[in-house]
Amino acid sequence: MGARWIKLAVIYLIIGICVGLFMSMTLQLKWASAHAHVNLVGFATTAIFGIIYSIYPGAATNTLGKWHFWLHNIGVPVFLISTFLVQVPGMLDTAHIFTYAGGGAFGLGVILFIVNSLSNINESTMFKKL
């Protein structure tokens, strides 16, 4: 399951780089917040979860890990849409709906990750050392 997280993180990295290049080429710097959120919430957190779940595969495959995966990977794209919509004139109310729905799913997923980590991650569940 950790590999899936990392592969999804790479997709967010590609999107973040593309948004950054677009901003640089067009000097439309109003997208900076969206660019930062794609890189931080999309790439960095997804990659960190992937690394942790690679080290502790039992935590990734239990019920909490599976719920975390789906809440994160449904919530984050919805939330990231809101970071772009907030810059479009007349779309602020719609952006807020996306923020609450996507951010809520992401937040709930993080809570499940915390519970999962505190309950199921320990030395005995770590991958076998070489």
Side-chain angles (χ1 to χ4, degrees):
M1 187 67 102
R4 280 188 187 164
W5 284 91
I6 293 169
K7 288 176 182 179
L8 289 166
V10 170
I11 292 169
Y12 288 119
L13 177 63
I14 293 166
I15 294 168
I17 289 170
C18 288
V19 172
L21 289 171
F22 167 79
M23 288 172 35
S24 178
M25 289 186 293
T26 63
L27 297 177
Q28 293 189 32
L29 304 179
K30 69 180 182 179
W31 305 106
S33 177
H35 167 65
H37 279 85
V38 169
N39 286 314
L40 183 59
V41 177
F43 171 66
T45 60
T46 306
I48 291 168
F49 291 142
I51 292 166
I52 291 169
Y53 284 139
S54 292
I55 296 169
Y56 300 98
T61 57
N62 67 25
T63 302
L64 290 173
K66 289 176 184 176
W67 273 94
H68 175 216
F69 178 84
W70 287 109
L71 285 168
H72 182 89
N73 289 296
I74 292 170
V76 168
V78 172
F79 169 72
L80 291 177
I81 289 169
S82 77
T83 66
F84 288 95
L85 288 178
V86 75
Q87 295 299 325
V88 178
M91 295 297 289
L92 189 58
D93 291 336
T94 304
H96 286 310
I97 293 168
F98 279 80
T99 300
Y100 299 137
F106 172 70
L108 182 57
V110 169
I111 291 168
L112 294 179
F113 171 75
I114 292 167
V115 171
N116 192 12
S117 296
L118 296 175
S119 303
N120 298 305
I121 292 180
N122 55 55
E123 291 294 324
S124 65
T125 60
M126 196 171 180
F127 61 83
K128 293 182 181 180
K129 296 179 184 175
L130 300 176

